[in-house]
Amino acid sequence: MIRVLLVDDHPVVRRGLCAVLDDLPEIERVGEAADGAEALRLLDRAEAEGAPAPDLVLMDLQMAPGMHGIEATRRIRARPNPPAVLILTTYSTDADILAAVEAGATGYLLKDAPPEELAAAVRAAARGETVLAPPVAARLLGRVRAGRPTLSQREAEILELVAAGLANRQISRKLFISEATVKTHLVHVFGKLGVDSRTAAVAAAVQAGLIRL
């Protein structure tokens, strides 16, 4: 089962999303929140009670007047053993997309996505895969192409392992290099791709055809 926490400030939207999620037998909806602060309180309460944490937080982006999705994503991803965060929003500006992936979001989906696309995205994000709506992927691709980045063979190899879900220590052992060397290569990759997070680097490199999953 994929345990999902739903965060959106519009009750009607939440009801619609609940209907979609509840039709999927492998998904268990474990809570709803109207903004990021409430989502964090629910996570804290579950942890205090010893309840299983959600596997995925389905997060709206702009939630007035409460905590918005970017800050909530950043705080959730900073927790020990955090759930994945999949942004589901109507906003697709470059600033919103980059802020979300740099905050640690695993994916970015638009609310006009059909139910089957949302279901597939939830499953993929829960597995730790990067999920991007086509317009979002196109925007990231445009930014990457504008700079014409290139990766060395070692940088691409490391980023492919990052995309596969390996931590720096696991990558260092697999490639027989130090963990510090892995970090150095990733710093170089982030600089070349103009990103600040592992998820954003993978997304940008995949869309630019620099690595294969």
Side-chain angles (χ1 to χ4, degrees):
M1 294 292 291
I2 302 172
R3 298 169 56 84
V4 177
L5 171 61
L6 177 60
V7 187
D8 196 293
D9 63 334
H10 293 289
V12 173
V13 173
R14 287 204 307 272
R15 284 199 293 270
L17 291 173
C18 287
V20 173
L21 296 175
D22 291 346
D23 278 342
L24 303 173
E26 75 277 27
I27 291 177
E28 178 184 2
R29 186 166 44 85
V30 297
E32 299 176 38
D35 66 14
E38 185 179 359
L40 289 165
R41 288 194 295 271
L42 290 176
L43 292 174
D44 287 339
R45 184 187 307 164
E47 183 178 356
E49 295 174 353
D55 303 299
L56 175 74
V57 178
L58 193 58
M59 179 78 71
D60 192 12
L61 201 60
Q62 300 293 340
M63 294 175 284
M67 183 188 296
H68 58 76
I70 300 299
E71 179 60 24
T73 298
R74 185 177 294 110
R75 295 192 186 190
I76 289 171
R77 293 299 298 166
R79 299 169 68 93
N81 302 313
V85 177
L86 175 61
I87 300 294
L88 182 64
T89 183
T90 58
Y91 301 91
S92 62
T93 67
D94 288 0
D96 288 328
I97 296 166
L98 292 174
V101 296
E102 287 169 3
T106 301
Y108 198 109
L109 203 63
L110 301 181
K111 284 184 177 178
D112 60 0
E116 58 272 17
E117 184 177 333
L118 173 60
V122 167
R123 297 185 188 102
R127 294 193 298 267
E129 299 175 10
T130 299
V131 180
L132 296 173
V136 174
R139 286 183 179 274
L140 286 177
L141 178 57
R143 289 180 64 93
V144 171
R145 281 178 172 168
R148 300 182 183 276
T150 58
L151 300 180
S152 70
Q153 182 177 354
R154 179 61 88 186
E155 288 168 349
E157 188 176 20
I158 288 174
L159 197 55
E160 286 176 351
L161 294 175
V162 169
L166 273 66
N168 288 355
R169 181 171 297 180
Q170 295 171 305
I171 294 172
S172 70
R173 290 174 177 172
K174 187 175 184 66
L175 299 181
F176 302 102
I177 57 179
S178 70
E179 192 171 351
T181 299
V182 174
K183 292 179 180 178
T184 298
H185 280 301
L186 286 175
V187 168
H188 292 161
V189 169
F190 290 176
K192 288 181 177 181
L193 298 180
V195 299
D196 294 317
S197 74
R198 297 161 71 92
T199 299
V202 169
V206 169
Q207 295 304 319
L210 299 176
I211 64 171
R212 293 182 297 175
L213 299 183

